[in-house]
Amino acid sequence: LEMFDQDAPNTVANFVKLAREGFYDGLAFHRVIDGFMAQTGDVQYGAMDGDLIYAGRGGSTYEDLDAEFSDIPFDRGIVGMARSSDPDSANSQFFMMFEDI
């Protein structure tokens, strides 16, 4: 992945930290929408070898991130942080775009 640390330094640092610590190893893609995107990164409930009934509802033990928005379009192949309606709620979940939006 190419990281845009000048556009989202805290988001990139968080993503890299979680990856290096193995949080993303063995996680399910709990939300896949054909022609749109796939979402993963639920380090609390998303383990492939666990009970996936709550997959997509959890995050890491780290603090949520303050929003870092940019002008980078959500084109095919871009990765973005998933969050709730609260702009400061991104944590560990992320999505990958299948098509330009």
Side-chain angles (χ1 to χ4, degrees):
L1 294 175
E2 178 181 354
M3 300 288 183
F4 297 99
D5 57 336
Q6 291 185 5
D7 297 290
N10 296 323
T11 301
V12 169
N14 182 69
F15 188 87
V16 170
K17 174 176 61 176
L18 290 168
R20 284 187 175 150
E21 292 179 8
F23 279 90
Y24 293 129
D25 296 352
L27 295 184
F29 281 85
H30 60 268
R31 184 176 182 208
V32 178
I33 302 173
D34 189 40
F36 180 46
M37 64 88 191
Q39 186 172 329
T40 188
D42 182 347
V43 302
Q44 187 174 6
Y45 301 117
M48 288 289 295
D49 61 355
D51 182 356
L52 295 173
I53 193 167
Y54 294 112
R57 297 183 184 181
S60 76
T61 56
Y62 294 116
E63 295 290 321
D64 289 347
L65 302 170
D66 291 337
E68 294 180 308
F69 295 111
S70 74
D71 293 331
I72 300 169
F74 283 95
D75 290 339
R76 182 175 189 243
I78 201 80
V79 172
M81 293 302 292
R83 58 182 175 82
S84 71
S85 59
D86 177 354
D88 298 328
S89 63
N91 186 285
S92 63
Q93 293 190 40
F94 63 95
F95 58 90
M96 295 179 284
M97 300 301 298
F98 293 147
E99 301 293 336
D100 296 354
I101 299 295

